Amino acid sequence: MSKFHRSFSFRYRLTLWYIAVFSISLLAYQTFSYFELKANLISQMDAGLLSAMDQTIQNLDVENGNLALQNVEKTPIKPLSETQTALRIRILDADGNVIYSASGFPAIPIHQSALHALGDHSKPIYQTIQLGTEHYRVVTAVLIIAGTQTKNFLQIANSLSNIDKELSSFIVRFLVGLPFILLIAAAGGLFLANTALKPIVEMKNLAEHVREDRLSDRLHYQGPSDEFGSLAATFDSMLDRLEASFAREKRFSADAAHELKTPLTALKGKLEVALSRPRTAKEYEEALTNMKGDVERLISLSADLLLLSRMGNVALSSRAEKIDVGELLDSCVDQIITAFPDKHVTVKRNYEHHVEIEGVRDYLVRLFLNILDNAVKFSNTEVMLSISIKQVQARKAAVIEISDNGHGIPKSEIPFLFQPFYRVESDRSRLHGGAGLGLAIAHEIAEAHGGQIEISSAVGEGTRATVALPLSLKQ
Ligand SMILES: Nc1ncnc2c1ncn2[C@@H]1O[C@H](COP(=O)(O)OP(=O)(O)O)[C@@H](O)[C@H]1O
Ligand SMILES: [Mg+2]
């Protein structure tokens, strides 16, 4: 399919459908009008025939017990209306033999059985009869004149040629007008299709131009909030999300590069100093030990980055196991106490018995270590930790709260804590803090388990991290 065909075929299909529906309606209406007109003309004709019949009967005299046929000629046989031609009269005897026929009465065949079926008092019957190319309307009535013994039949006929002409001119008028009507319908249909599809074309053009450096373009659709309006709004909000996610990715890469550069520069500096002149074996050993710290920091940073970038699409279920939350937290607390030998940590535990959740042990250890690490790191030497574990049946979740009596976090900073590389802007953070990935990783791990994490804090009083984890992983 050509590009042109692909991008424009829908509007032509729409136009064709419009024309098709329009033509069918028009045809149905014209057909109805045709039969309506025909029925009207015929009933006018029938009324004329009937009144002619009444007059003929009045003019008929009886002489010596027989019909005085010569008086029939007195009946006006002028056309009664434009659509009628001159009337013809014929009288038949009881056996169907023609006993009177005004000149020019068409040779309409006489069906005896039909005549006999006409009872003495039955209503006149109307028939349309074709003779050659011409149509006739014929009314037949039983003629019983007082004073005569015999039963006769009176027939009055009129040619339908004028009516036929009128009807065929109706069809001709329709057929001549049809191409123009269809042309107007096609133009109208195309206009409607174009108008209706305009927002789609705009969306298509915009979508074609969306590139990484033009993500700020929007449709800003001004039309009514109909289906197109909501499609355009959805499209714009999709671009909002895309733009935000691109910006996040960009910031993340820049921050990551910056964080990696710092220890690398330090390492390079130390290497250059060590190599600046010949040194003793002991000096080399000291320099290398010193550099090992930088290398370890680099390894842990890249491991964090790797974990964070993978967390979004890991499938946990295959590695998930039943975990006793109390035991898990106890082992994390032990690790943290060992990691901070110069701090004095007191732990107040308030555990419900054997709260079990389903999850990946390594990740959950990581989550709680990150929180506990912050709690101890951002506190003075005397650390007071308070840890509670509750099973909340209504939420089918385990809720773990970890509070410290540390420095606290200003309220305005709390919404940003879970962003990668975010550190609270204070000397303390810069002095103690890591790369600012700890809470971002904790947040990703909680989300991957279908859980949530929240931080509340008061400066100078302490911080509380609340983690809610579902008791079982849903697929
Ligand atoms: N318990 C806490 N007490 C005080 N400040 C905290 C606490 N937890 C987190 N923060 C602040 O939030 C920032 C982000 O934490 P985190 O993501 O773990 O980064 P990092 O520990 O690498 O600095 C920290 O730098 C710190 O300023
Ligand atoms: Mg941290």
Side-chain angles (χ1 to χ4, degrees):
M1 232 189 279
S2 72
K3 192 174 176 226
F4 177 86
H5 194 77
R6 249 183 292 130
S7 46
F8 291 99
S9 64
F10 182 67
R11 86 182 44 187
Y12 290 121
R13 279 211 309 276
L14 205 64
T15 310
L16 281 179
W17 273 109
Y18 177 78
I19 296 173
V21 171
F22 182 83
S23 311
I24 290 169
S25 323
L26 186 69
L27 204 69
Y29 176 71
Q30 288 294 322
T31 311
F32 172 78
S33 303
Y34 174 86
F35 285 108
E36 181 80 1
L37 177 66
K38 187 173 173 182
N40 263 336
L41 293 172
I42 298 281
S43 88
Q44 268 178 34
M45 164 72 86
D46 289 352
L49 291 176
L50 196 65
S51 85
M53 176 167 275
D54 284 347
Q55 283 201 23
T56 312
I57 293 171
Q58 276 169 29
N59 291 339
L60 275 174
D61 287 333
V62 183
E63 276 173 13
N64 309 325
N66 287 315
L67 280 174
L69 292 170
Q70 64 279 7
N71 287 338
V72 174
E73 258 123 68
K74 291 181 194 157
T75 307
I77 52 168
K78 285 203 299 297
L80 295 169
S81 75
E82 274 175 40
T83 47
Q84 297 186 8
T85 52
L87 293 163
R88 320 281 158 78
I89 299 171
R90 177 164 88 169
I91 297 175
L92 313 172
D93 67 11
D95 299 325
N97 301 311
V98 178
I99 54 172
Y100 172 84
S101 174
S103 57
F105 195 95
I108 293 167
I110 297 157
H111 298 290
Q112 300 278 356
S113 53
L115 288 180
H116 290 298
L118 211 58
D120 284 2
H121 299 287
S122 41
K123 285 187 181 151
I125 51 165
Y126 296 91
Q127 291 163 287
T128 300
I129 284 159
Q130 177 151 20
L131 282 181
T133 54
E134 223 176 334
H135 285 98
Y136 289 92
R137 189 72 176 161
V138 184
V139 58
T140 308
V142 180
L143 193 59
I144 298 171
I145 304 286
T148 66
Q149 302 303 311
T150 48
K151 171 177 166 184
N152 295 294
F153 297 101
L154 174 62
Q155 284 192 316
I156 299 194
N158 200 340
S159 163
L160 287 176
S161 61
N162 283 354
I163 289 181
D164 283 345
K165 253 184 247 159
E166 179 122 336
L167 287 174
S168 44
S169 96
F170 178 90
I171 292 174
V172 169
R173 272 202 309 275
F174 173 61
L175 290 180
V176 168
L178 190 64
F180 298 101
I181 292 172
L182 288 184
L183 217 63
I184 291 168
L190 202 59
F191 173 75
L192 281 180
N194 274 335
T195 316
L197 293 176
K198 202 168 152 232
I200 298 273
V201 175
E202 277 172 20
M203 273 180 244
K204 188 195 87 158
N205 290 342
L206 181 66
E208 270 173 3
H209 290 113
V210 170
R211 285 203 322 262
E212 200 182 331
D213 55 335
R214 283 191 48 175
L215 275 176
S216 56
D217 284 4
R218 294 290 179 278
L219 279 179
H220 295 305
Y221 184 65
Q222 300 293 339
S225 49
D226 51 11
E227 288 85 344
F228 286 128
S230 85
L231 179 62
T234 310
F235 193 77
D236 277 357
S237 73
M238 182 193 78
L239 285 175
D240 285 346
R241 289 196 302 276
L242 259 180
E243 191 183 14
S245 132
F246 261 86
R248 235 181 358 253
E249 289 292 315
K250 234 178 180 165
R251 208 170 43 234
F252 183 82
S253 316
D255 288 347
H258 182 77
E259 288 300 325
L260 287 169
K261 201 178 158 210
T262 315
L264 280 171
T265 314
L267 198 56
K268 185 170 175 244
K270 286 170 192 169
L271 267 171
E272 278 167 357
V273 172
L275 291 174
S276 59
R277 59 180 174 81
R279 299 194 182 263
T280 62
K282 192 162 169 26
E283 279 174 326
Y284 279 127
E285 195 188 329
E286 269 171 23
L288 285 175
T289 312
N290 193 332
M291 285 181 238
K292 194 174 163 233
D294 291 320
V295 173
E296 271 163 3
R297 193 165 164 206
L298 274 170
I299 291 174
S300 114
L301 187 62
S302 41
D304 279 359
L305 286 172
L306 209 59
L307 177 64
L308 203 54
S309 69
R310 277 192 193 149
M311 209 60 226
N313 44 14
V314 284
L316 295 185
S317 49
S318 60
R319 294 165 54 196
E321 55 182 311
K322 288 270 175 212
I323 296 166
D324 185 308
V325 187
E327 278 172 22
L328 186 88
L329 270 160
D330 283 346
S331 89
C332 291
V333 170
D334 289 347
Q335 281 191 54
I336 285 295
I337 292 175
T338 323
F340 290 90
D342 49 345
K343 298 226 171 174
H344 183 251
V345 184
T346 317
V347 185
K348 217 176 96 192
R349 291 179 173 85
N350 180 12
Y351 294 0
E352 265 180 24
H353 276 298
H354 296 302
V355 177
E356 269 204 338
I357 60 165
E358 199 183 340
V360 179
R361 186 177 292 274
D362 291 351
Y363 288 149
L364 292 175
V365 165
R366 193 57 191 276
L367 189 166
F368 290 117
L369 278 182
N370 285 2
I371 293 174
L372 290 166
D373 175 73
N374 286 349
V376 177
K377 195 162 62 176
F378 299 110
S379 294
N380 294 325
T381 336
E382 278 301 318
V383 187
M384 186 65 209
L385 287 183
S386 161
I387 306 175
S388 81
I389 303 171
K390 274 187 220 138
Q391 184 166 326
V392 181
Q393 217 54 48
R395 286 169 68 184
K396 291 197 173 76
V399 176
I400 302 104
E401 279 185 4
I402 301 172
S403 312
D404 62 60
N405 61 339
H407 310 307
I409 308 164
K411 270 216 154 34
S412 57
E413 311 257 9
I414 289 180
F416 310 107
L417 292 177
F418 300 116
Q419 289 179 6
F421 303 109
Y422 192 85
R423 278 164 294 189
V424 173
E425 263 317 309
S426 72
D427 291 341
R428 264 200 313 269
S429 273
R430 254 174 276 147
L431 198 66
H432 304 284
L437 291 175
L439 287 180
I441 291 173
H443 181 255
E444 290 292 317
I445 293 174
E447 289 227 313
H449 282 80
Q452 291 136 13
I453 171 168
E454 276 167 22
I455 302 276
S456 62
S457 185
V459 176
E461 289 176 24
T463 303
R464 182 170 67 222
T466 310
V467 183
L469 293 167
L471 298 180
S472 67
L473 287 174
K474 279 176 231 86
Q475 265 302 68

